[in-house]
């Protein structure tokens, strides 16, 4: 039985015990009232940031919708202009020039 205690590595055992001690102390610190106040404050800040970001996203979406609507209008006007130009070209081709007799 004494051989077992001789083979026991005290350094590793001490590190393990310290880890358990710090872990237990850490749990107590993390569950304290002061820590909960910090958690609440941080969560409130995150929620405010989320609200601000969502407002910005809404503004960007509205602007994108406006830009899209204006782009559709521009394309429709261009298409109408092209149709008018094609109609004028066709009417010019139909009219043939008559030669003028020299007097």
């Amino acid at each position: 039985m004494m051989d077992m205690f001789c083979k026991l590595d005290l350094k590793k055992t001490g590190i393990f015990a310290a880890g358990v001690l710090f872990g237990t102390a850490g749990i107590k610190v993390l569950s304290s009232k002061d820590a909960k106040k910090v958690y609440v404050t941080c969560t409130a800040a995150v929620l405010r940031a989320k609200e601000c970001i969502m407002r910005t996203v809404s503004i960007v979406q509205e602007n994108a919708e406006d830009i899209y609507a204006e782009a559709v209008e521009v394309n429709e006007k261009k298409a109408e202009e092209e149709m008018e130009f094609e109609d004028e070209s066709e009417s010019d081709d139909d009219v043939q020039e008559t030669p003028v007799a020299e007097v």
Side-chain angles (χ1 to χ4, degrees), residues 77-95:
K77 287 180 182 177
K78 291 266 187 193
E80 288 176 10
E81 289 174 2
E82 287 179 7
M83 290 293 288
E84 289 175 6
F85 182 72
E86 288 176 2
D87 290 342
E88 289 175 5
S89 297
E90 289 175 5
S91 63
D92 288 344
D93 291 342
D94 292 341
V95 176

Side-chain angles (χ1 to χ4, degrees), residues 6-63:
C6 290
K7 291 183 179 179
L8 191 62
D9 189 0
L10 293 179
K11 183 178 180 181
K12 289 182 182 178
T13 306
I15 291 174
F16 175 77
V20 170
L21 178 66
F22 284 125
T24 304
I27 289 173
K28 290 196 179 227
V29 168
L30 292 175
S31 62
S32 70
K33 288 182 181 179
D34 291 333
K36 287 181 183 178
K37 288 180 184 178
V38 171
Y39 302 151
V40 168
T41 304
C42 290
T43 304
V46 168
L47 291 174
R48 286 191 304 270
K50 176 189 170 197
E51 185 178 319
C52 179
I53 290 170
M54 293 308 292
R55 278 194 305 252
T56 303
V57 166
S58 296
I59 291 170
V60 169
Q61 283 178 335
E62 290 171 4
N63 288 338

